[in-house]
Short mmCIF file of all heavy atoms in Angstrom, two decimals:
data_model
loop_
_atom_site.label_atom_id
_atom_site.label_comp_id
_atom_site.label_asym_id
_atom_site.label_seq_id
_atom_site.Cartn_x
_atom_site.Cartn_y
_atom_site.Cartn_z
N MET A 56 79.57 110.11 92.93
CA MET A 56 78.81 109.60 94.10
C MET A 56 78.02 108.40 93.55
O MET A 56 77.77 107.46 94.43
CB MET A 56 77.91 110.70 94.65
CG MET A 56 78.66 111.65 95.41
SD MET A 56 77.61 112.97 96.23
CE MET A 56 76.30 111.98 97.05
N GLU A 57 77.45 108.46 92.44
CA GLU A 57 76.65 107.39 91.89
C GLU A 57 77.40 106.06 91.91
O GLU A 57 76.84 104.92 92.23
CB GLU A 57 76.15 107.66 90.45
CG GLU A 57 75.24 108.87 90.36
CD GLU A 57 73.82 108.67 90.90
OE1 GLU A 57 73.40 107.51 90.97
OE2 GLU A 57 73.23 109.69 91.28
N MET A 58 78.72 106.06 91.59
CA MET A 58 79.55 104.89 91.41
C MET A 58 79.69 104.24 92.84
O MET A 58 79.94 103.07 92.94
CB MET A 58 80.86 105.08 90.95
CG MET A 58 80.76 105.56 89.33
SD MET A 58 82.32 105.92 88.66
CE MET A 58 83.10 104.29 88.76
N SER A 59 79.53 105.04 93.96
CA SER A 59 79.67 104.41 95.34
C SER A 59 78.32 104.05 95.82
O SER A 59 78.18 103.75 97.08
CB SER A 59 80.37 105.35 96.21
OG SER A 59 79.70 106.67 96.37
N GLY A 60 77.22 104.14 95.12
CA GLY A 60 75.95 103.71 95.51
C GLY A 60 75.09 104.85 96.19
O GLY A 60 74.05 104.63 96.80
N LEU A 61 75.57 106.11 96.04
CA LEU A 61 74.95 107.18 96.69
C LEU A 61 74.26 108.07 95.58
O LEU A 61 74.98 108.54 94.75
CB LEU A 61 75.94 108.12 97.56
CG LEU A 61 76.62 107.41 98.59
CD1 LEU A 61 77.79 108.26 99.24
CD2 LEU A 61 75.64 106.95 99.77
N SER A 62 72.97 108.33 95.73
CA SER A 62 72.27 109.05 94.66
C SER A 62 72.62 110.46 94.68
O SER A 62 72.58 111.08 95.89
CB SER A 62 70.87 108.73 94.81
OG SER A 62 70.10 109.68 94.00
N HIS A 63 72.76 111.10 93.63
CA HIS A 63 73.03 112.60 93.62
C HIS A 63 71.78 113.40 94.10
O HIS A 63 71.82 114.48 94.55
CB HIS A 63 73.50 113.02 92.28
CG HIS A 63 72.33 113.02 91.29
ND1 HIS A 63 71.92 111.86 90.54
CD2 HIS A 63 71.54 114.03 90.81
CE1 HIS A 63 70.91 112.18 89.75
NE2 HIS A 63 70.67 113.42 89.90
N THR A 64 70.62 112.62 93.95
CA THR A 64 69.36 113.33 94.54
C THR A 64 69.34 113.42 95.92
O THR A 64 68.45 114.31 96.46
CB THR A 64 68.15 112.55 93.90
OG1 THR A 64 68.11 111.34 94.49
CG2 THR A 64 68.17 112.42 92.40
N LYS A 65 70.11 112.76 96.62
CA LYS A 65 70.04 112.94 98.12
C LYS A 65 71.36 113.68 98.70
O LYS A 65 71.55 113.49 99.81
CB LYS A 65 70.06 111.52 98.69
CG LYS A 65 68.85 110.71 98.23
CD LYS A 65 68.75 109.34 98.88
CE LYS A 65 67.50 108.77 98.28
NZ LYS A 65 66.96 107.63 98.98
N ILE A 66 71.90 114.53 97.83
CA ILE A 66 73.17 115.22 98.24
C ILE A 66 72.85 116.07 99.50
O ILE A 66 73.74 116.18 100.35
CB ILE A 66 73.77 116.07 97.17
CG1 ILE A 66 75.07 116.64 97.50
CG2 ILE A 66 72.80 117.15 96.66
CD1 ILE A 66 76.17 115.63 97.68
N ASP A 67 71.72 116.77 99.66
CA ASP A 67 71.42 117.59 100.73
C ASP A 67 71.39 116.81 101.98
O ASP A 67 71.93 117.29 103.09
CB ASP A 67 70.11 118.41 100.58
CG ASP A 67 70.13 119.37 99.45
OD1 ASP A 67 71.36 119.93 99.20
OD2 ASP A 67 69.19 119.71 98.75
N ARG A 68 70.78 115.60 101.99
CA ARG A 68 70.72 114.71 103.17
C ARG A 68 72.10 114.24 103.57
O ARG A 68 72.55 114.15 104.73
CB ARG A 68 69.83 113.67 102.89
CG ARG A 68 69.65 112.67 104.00
CD ARG A 68 68.82 113.25 105.25
NE ARG A 68 68.67 112.22 106.16
CZ ARG A 68 68.92 112.43 107.54
NH1 ARG A 68 69.23 113.70 107.91
NH2 ARG A 68 68.73 111.45 108.33
N ILE A 69 72.84 113.89 102.54
CA ILE A 69 74.19 113.38 102.75
C ILE A 69 75.08 114.44 103.49
O ILE A 69 75.75 114.19 104.40
CB ILE A 69 74.86 112.90 101.49
CG1 ILE A 69 74.25 111.69 100.92
CG2 ILE A 69 76.42 112.62 101.70
CD1 ILE A 69 74.51 111.24 99.50
N ILE A 70 75.02 115.70 102.94
CA ILE A 70 75.87 116.76 103.52
C ILE A 70 75.31 117.09 104.98
O ILE A 70 76.12 117.28 105.87
CB ILE A 70 75.68 118.12 102.61
CG1 ILE A 70 76.41 117.81 101.36
CG2 ILE A 70 76.18 119.28 103.41
CD1 ILE A 70 76.14 118.94 100.34
N GLU A 71 73.99 117.00 105.20
CA GLU A 71 73.49 117.15 106.51
C GLU A 71 73.99 116.11 107.53
O GLU A 71 74.49 116.37 108.70
CB GLU A 71 71.97 117.08 106.44
CG GLU A 71 71.28 117.26 107.80
CD GLU A 71 69.73 117.00 107.75
OE1 GLU A 71 69.19 117.46 106.69
OE2 GLU A 71 69.13 116.44 108.55
N LYS A 72 74.03 114.84 107.10
CA LYS A 72 74.53 113.81 107.95
C LYS A 72 75.97 113.90 108.25
O LYS A 72 76.50 113.76 109.34
CB LYS A 72 74.16 112.44 107.37
CG LYS A 72 72.66 112.11 107.36
CD LYS A 72 72.42 110.73 106.81
CE LYS A 72 72.92 109.62 107.66
NZ LYS A 72 71.94 108.91 108.34
N LEU A 73 76.72 114.27 107.12
CA LEU A 73 78.22 114.47 107.41
C LEU A 73 78.45 115.66 108.26
O LEU A 73 79.36 115.47 109.09
CB LEU A 73 78.84 114.78 105.96
CG LEU A 73 78.97 113.52 105.07
CD1 LEU A 73 79.57 114.01 103.76
CD2 LEU A 73 80.03 112.53 105.67
N GLY A 74 77.69 116.61 108.23
CA GLY A 74 77.86 117.79 109.14
C GLY A 74 77.56 117.39 110.58
O GLY A 74 77.96 118.11 111.51
N SER A 75 76.87 116.28 110.80
CA SER A 75 76.45 116.00 112.18
C SER A 75 77.54 115.18 112.87
O SER A 75 77.52 114.80 114.00
CB SER A 75 75.10 115.35 112.22
OG SER A 75 75.18 114.09 111.57
N VAL A 76 78.51 114.69 112.06
CA VAL A 76 79.60 113.84 112.64
C VAL A 76 80.45 114.81 113.54
O VAL A 76 80.87 115.86 113.10
CB VAL A 76 80.43 113.22 111.58
CG1 VAL A 76 81.63 112.53 112.13
CG2 VAL A 76 79.56 112.32 110.73
N THR A 77 80.73 114.26 114.81
CA THR A 77 81.53 115.19 115.76
C THR A 77 82.97 114.71 115.58
O THR A 77 83.36 113.70 115.10
CB THR A 77 81.04 114.93 117.21
OG1 THR A 77 81.37 113.50 117.50
CG2 THR A 77 79.60 115.09 117.33
N ALA A 78 83.84 115.59 116.19
CA ALA A 78 85.27 115.38 116.19
C ALA A 78 85.53 114.14 117.04
O ALA A 78 86.45 113.30 116.81
CB ALA A 78 85.99 116.59 116.71
N GLN A 79 84.76 114.03 118.04
CA GLN A 79 84.99 112.83 118.96
C GLN A 79 84.73 111.59 118.23
O GLN A 79 85.37 110.52 118.34
CB GLN A 79 84.02 112.99 120.16
CG GLN A 79 84.28 111.92 121.32
CD GLN A 79 83.38 112.16 122.45
OE1 GLN A 79 82.44 112.91 122.46
NE2 GLN A 79 83.66 111.43 123.53
N GLN A 80 83.69 111.54 117.46
CA GLN A 80 83.24 110.31 116.58
C GLN A 80 84.40 110.05 115.59
O GLN A 80 84.78 108.80 115.46
CB GLN A 80 82.03 110.55 115.87
CG GLN A 80 80.76 110.61 116.72
CD GLN A 80 79.55 110.97 116.07
OE1 GLN A 80 79.58 111.88 115.28
NE2 GLN A 80 78.41 110.17 116.31
N VAL A 81 85.01 111.05 114.95
CA VAL A 81 86.06 110.84 114.07
C VAL A 81 87.24 110.23 114.76
O VAL A 81 87.88 109.29 114.34
CB VAL A 81 86.38 112.12 113.25
CG1 VAL A 81 87.64 111.96 112.41
CG2 VAL A 81 85.30 112.59 112.39
N GLN A 82 87.59 110.82 115.88
CA GLN A 82 88.67 110.34 116.67
C GLN A 82 88.63 108.95 117.14
O GLN A 82 89.52 108.13 117.22
CB GLN A 82 88.98 111.24 117.93
CG GLN A 82 89.49 112.63 117.39
CD GLN A 82 89.63 113.53 118.57
OE1 GLN A 82 89.00 113.37 119.64
NE2 GLN A 82 90.27 114.67 118.43
N ALA A 83 87.36 108.49 117.50
CA ALA A 83 87.14 107.14 117.96
C ALA A 83 87.38 106.15 116.80
O ALA A 83 87.86 105.01 117.03
CB ALA A 83 85.64 106.96 118.47
N VAL A 84 86.84 106.41 115.68
CA VAL A 84 87.06 105.58 114.43
C VAL A 84 88.49 105.55 114.09
O VAL A 84 89.05 104.47 113.74
CB VAL A 84 86.19 106.14 113.31
CG1 VAL A 84 86.49 105.34 111.95
CG2 VAL A 84 84.71 105.97 113.50
N ALA A 85 89.13 106.72 114.13
CA ALA A 85 90.62 106.73 113.81
C ALA A 85 91.41 105.86 114.79
O ALA A 85 92.33 105.14 114.40
CB ALA A 85 91.09 108.20 113.81
N LYS A 86 91.02 105.99 116.08
CA LYS A 86 91.71 105.10 117.04
C LYS A 86 91.50 103.65 116.85
O LYS A 86 92.48 102.91 117.01
CB LYS A 86 91.32 105.51 118.51
CG LYS A 86 92.01 104.99 119.56
CD LYS A 86 91.43 105.61 120.90
CE LYS A 86 92.51 105.25 122.13
NZ LYS A 86 91.93 105.91 123.31
N LYS A 87 90.38 103.30 116.36
CA LYS A 87 90.09 101.84 116.14
C LYS A 87 90.80 101.33 114.96
O LYS A 87 91.27 100.18 115.03
CB LYS A 87 88.58 101.76 115.92
CG LYS A 87 88.10 100.27 115.64
CD LYS A 87 86.54 100.27 115.49
CE LYS A 87 86.16 98.88 115.12
NZ LYS A 87 84.71 98.74 114.97
N TYR A 88 90.83 102.18 113.88
CA TYR A 88 91.39 101.62 112.64
C TYR A 88 92.86 101.97 112.29
O TYR A 88 93.55 101.33 111.51
CB TYR A 88 90.50 101.94 111.44
CG TYR A 88 89.19 101.29 111.51
CD1 TYR A 88 88.11 101.95 111.93
CD2 TYR A 88 89.05 99.96 111.04
CE1 TYR A 88 86.81 101.37 111.93
CE2 TYR A 88 87.90 99.29 111.15
CZ TYR A 88 86.70 100.09 111.66
OH TYR A 88 85.40 99.44 111.65
N PHE A 89 93.30 103.13 112.91
CA PHE A 89 94.69 103.55 112.51
C PHE A 89 95.62 103.33 113.79
O PHE A 89 95.91 104.27 114.47
CB PHE A 89 94.62 105.09 112.17
CG PHE A 89 93.94 105.22 110.83
CD1 PHE A 89 92.81 106.20 110.90
CD2 PHE A 89 94.15 104.59 109.70
CE1 PHE A 89 92.13 106.42 109.74
CE2 PHE A 89 93.45 104.88 108.55
CZ PHE A 89 92.42 105.76 108.58
N ASP A 90 96.01 102.09 113.89
CA ASP A 90 96.99 101.81 115.01
C ASP A 90 98.15 101.09 114.44
O ASP A 90 98.12 100.62 113.25
CB ASP A 90 96.27 101.02 116.25
CG ASP A 90 95.76 99.62 115.70
OD1 ASP A 90 96.07 99.21 114.63
OD2 ASP A 90 95.20 98.99 116.65
N ASP A 91 99.01 100.87 115.32
CA ASP A 91 100.25 100.17 114.81
C ASP A 91 100.09 98.74 114.29
O ASP A 91 100.85 98.24 113.47
CB ASP A 91 101.40 100.09 115.89
CG ASP A 91 102.03 101.46 116.13
OD1 ASP A 91 101.85 102.34 115.15
OD2 ASP A 91 102.62 101.63 117.18
N GLU A 92 99.03 98.05 114.77
CA GLU A 92 98.72 96.67 114.24
C GLU A 92 98.17 96.69 112.93
O GLU A 92 98.24 95.66 112.19
CB GLU A 92 97.74 96.08 115.30
CG GLU A 92 98.20 95.74 116.68
CD GLU A 92 99.35 94.93 116.67
OE1 GLU A 92 99.36 93.83 116.03
OE2 GLU A 92 100.36 95.21 117.48
N GLN A 93 97.59 97.82 112.48
CA GLN A 93 97.06 97.85 111.09
C GLN A 93 97.98 98.56 110.10
O GLN A 93 97.65 98.86 108.98
CB GLN A 93 95.69 98.72 111.28
CG GLN A 93 94.72 98.14 112.15
CD GLN A 93 94.23 96.74 111.66
OE1 GLN A 93 94.13 96.37 110.50
NE2 GLN A 93 93.94 95.92 112.62
N LEU A 94 99.09 98.99 110.58
CA LEU A 94 100.15 99.83 109.79
C LEU A 94 100.72 99.04 108.65
O LEU A 94 101.15 97.81 108.92
CB LEU A 94 101.13 100.34 110.72
CG LEU A 94 102.27 101.36 110.09
CD1 LEU A 94 101.61 102.52 109.56
CD2 LEU A 94 103.32 101.62 111.07
N THR A 95 100.78 99.53 107.49
CA THR A 95 101.55 99.08 106.33
C THR A 95 102.50 100.08 105.87
O THR A 95 102.11 101.23 105.63
CB THR A 95 100.57 98.61 105.17
OG1 THR A 95 99.59 97.57 105.63
CG2 THR A 95 101.36 98.06 103.94
N VAL A 96 103.67 99.72 105.79
CA VAL A 96 104.72 100.64 105.27
C VAL A 96 105.26 100.13 103.98
O VAL A 96 105.62 99.02 103.70
CB VAL A 96 105.95 100.74 106.32
CG1 VAL A 96 107.05 101.58 105.81
CG2 VAL A 96 105.44 101.22 107.59
N ALA A 97 105.33 100.99 103.06
CA ALA A 97 105.71 100.71 101.68
C ALA A 97 106.98 101.59 101.27
O ALA A 97 106.95 102.80 101.58
CB ALA A 97 104.65 100.79 100.65
N THR A 98 107.93 101.11 100.64
CA THR A 98 109.11 101.84 100.05
C THR A 98 108.94 101.87 98.53
O THR A 98 108.98 100.74 97.96
CB THR A 98 110.36 101.22 100.58
OG1 THR A 98 110.39 101.18 101.98
CG2 THR A 98 111.51 101.99 100.07
N LEU A 99 108.83 102.99 97.96
CA LEU A 99 108.69 103.15 96.53
C LEU A 99 110.02 103.62 96.01
O LEU A 99 110.62 104.61 96.41
CB LEU A 99 107.63 104.17 96.23
CG LEU A 99 106.20 103.77 96.79
CD1 LEU A 99 105.22 105.00 96.54
CD2 LEU A 99 105.71 102.47 96.40
N VAL A 100 110.60 102.74 95.07
CA VAL A 100 111.80 103.19 94.48
C VAL A 100 111.56 103.62 93.04
O VAL A 100 111.16 102.86 92.18
CB VAL A 100 112.71 101.95 94.47
CG1 VAL A 100 114.10 102.26 93.82
CG2 VAL A 100 112.99 101.39 95.86
N PRO A 101 111.76 104.80 92.73
CA PRO A 101 111.56 105.28 91.37
C PRO A 101 112.54 104.68 90.28
O PRO A 101 113.68 104.46 90.60
CB PRO A 101 111.73 106.81 91.37
CG PRO A 101 112.62 107.03 92.65
CD PRO A 101 112.46 105.89 93.55
N LEU A 102 112.04 104.36 89.17
CA LEU A 102 112.83 103.88 88.13
C LEU A 102 113.39 105.08 87.30
O LEU A 102 112.69 106.09 87.11
CB LEU A 102 112.04 102.99 87.21
CG LEU A 102 111.45 101.75 87.85
CD1 LEU A 102 110.61 100.97 86.90
CD2 LEU A 102 112.68 100.85 88.35
N PRO A 103 114.57 104.92 86.70
CA PRO A 103 115.00 106.16 85.88
C PRO A 103 114.09 106.25 84.68
O PRO A 103 113.64 105.36 84.03
CB PRO A 103 116.44 105.75 85.47
CG PRO A 103 116.64 104.41 86.06
CD PRO A 103 115.40 103.91 86.84
N LEU A 104 113.88 107.61 84.38
CA LEU A 104 112.98 107.94 83.15
C LEU A 104 113.68 107.62 81.83
O LEU A 104 112.96 107.16 80.95
CB LEU A 104 112.66 109.40 83.19
CG LEU A 104 111.73 109.83 84.34
CD1 LEU A 104 111.56 111.33 84.24
CD2 LEU A 104 110.41 109.14 84.26
N SER A 105 115.09 107.68 81.85
CA SER A 105 115.75 107.41 80.52
C SER A 105 116.02 105.94 80.28
O SER A 105 116.48 105.74 79.15
CB SER A 105 116.91 108.33 80.50
OG SER A 105 117.88 107.74 81.49
N GLY A 106 115.75 105.18 81.23
CA GLY A 106 116.18 103.74 81.10
C GLY A 106 117.70 103.59 81.32
O GLY A 106 118.15 102.40 81.30
N LYS A 107 118.35 104.66 81.62
CA LYS A 107 119.75 104.49 81.87
C LYS A 107 120.06 104.59 83.45
O LYS A 107 119.18 105.18 84.15
CB LYS A 107 120.60 105.68 81.23
CG LYS A 107 120.46 105.67 79.69
CD LYS A 107 121.16 106.95 79.16
CE LYS A 107 121.01 106.95 77.73
NZ LYS A 107 121.69 108.21 77.13
N GLY A 108 121.07 104.12 83.78
CA GLY A 108 121.50 104.22 85.26
C GLY A 108 120.76 103.01 86.05
O GLY A 108 119.96 102.28 85.63
N THR A 109 120.99 103.10 87.26
CA THR A 109 120.46 102.20 88.19
C THR A 109 119.54 102.94 89.21
O THR A 109 119.81 104.06 89.60
CB THR A 109 121.49 101.27 88.97
OG1 THR A 109 122.32 102.30 89.69
CG2 THR A 109 122.38 100.62 87.99
N PRO A 110 118.48 102.30 89.79
CA PRO A 110 117.73 102.83 90.70
C PRO A 110 118.57 103.22 91.95
O PRO A 110 119.49 102.43 92.25
CB PRO A 110 116.55 102.01 91.00
CG PRO A 110 116.99 100.71 90.41
CD PRO A 110 118.07 100.93 89.45
N PRO A 111 118.25 104.09 92.88
CA PRO A 111 118.83 104.38 94.08
C PRO A 111 118.81 103.15 95.02
O PRO A 111 117.86 102.35 94.96
CB PRO A 111 118.19 105.59 94.73
CG PRO A 111 116.92 105.62 94.02
CD PRO A 111 117.06 105.01 92.74
N PRO A 112 119.75 102.89 95.91
CA PRO A 112 119.71 101.85 96.77
C PRO A 112 118.61 101.86 97.84
O PRO A 112 118.18 102.91 98.15
CB PRO A 112 121.09 101.76 97.49
CG PRO A 112 121.68 103.20 97.38
CD PRO A 112 120.99 103.70 96.10
N LEU A 113 118.11 100.75 98.33
CA LEU A 113 117.07 100.73 99.29
C LEU A 113 117.63 101.18 100.59
O LEU A 113 118.81 100.68 101.00
CB LEU A 113 116.46 99.33 99.41
CG LEU A 113 115.53 98.94 98.29
CD1 LEU A 113 115.10 97.49 98.49
CD2 LEU A 113 114.40 99.92 98.03
N ARG A 114 116.99 101.90 101.43
CA ARG A 114 117.34 102.23 102.76
C ARG A 114 116.43 101.51 103.77
O ARG A 114 115.18 101.48 103.49
CB ARG A 114 117.25 103.72 103.01
CG ARG A 114 118.15 104.52 102.14
CD ARG A 114 118.02 106.01 102.44
NE ARG A 114 116.66 106.45 102.62
CZ ARG A 114 116.22 107.74 102.72
NH1 ARG A 114 117.15 108.60 102.72
NH2 ARG A 114 115.06 107.94 102.94
N HIS A 115 117.00 101.11 104.75
CA HIS A 115 116.10 100.41 105.76
C HIS A 115 116.30 101.08 107.12
O HIS A 115 117.24 101.67 107.55
CB HIS A 115 116.48 98.80 106.00
CG HIS A 115 116.30 98.14 104.81
ND1 HIS A 115 115.13 97.68 104.40
CD2 HIS A 115 117.12 97.75 103.75
CE1 HIS A 115 115.16 96.96 103.27
NE2 HIS A 115 116.38 97.00 102.84
#
């Protein structure tokens, strides 16, 4: 928490504030930020561990 700028001495207050967030508030934020316009799709292709062989072909 300290690394994100939140003091460990205020943990009780932080938990209290987090507990006061409603499902409706979470849904409103999710609707704002998680839409198709903000979507990023990544395809991860694993490399062979042994260094032998070729990676699987990409699928689109």
Side-chain angles (χ1 to χ4, degrees):
M56 288 184 48
E57 298 285 337
M58 291 179 67
S59 63
L61 301 171
S62 172
H63 73 280
T64 61
K65 298 184 184 199
I66 188 68
D67 292 332
R68 178 71 176 135
I69 293 168
I70 292 172
E71 178 184 325
K72 289 182 71 108
L73 287 173
S75 69
V76 175
T77 67
Q79 185 177 14
Q80 290 171 317
V81 172
Q82 289 172 347
V84 171
K86 190 174 189 177
K87 178 178 179 180
Y88 291 103
F89 298 123
D90 65 3
D91 288 342
E92 296 297 318
Q93 304 295 328
L94 180 66
T95 299
V96 177
T98 302
L99 305 177
V100 179
L102 297 175
L104 293 177
S105 65
K107 298 177 185 176
T109 58
L113 291 176
R114 296 182 317 189
H115 295 280

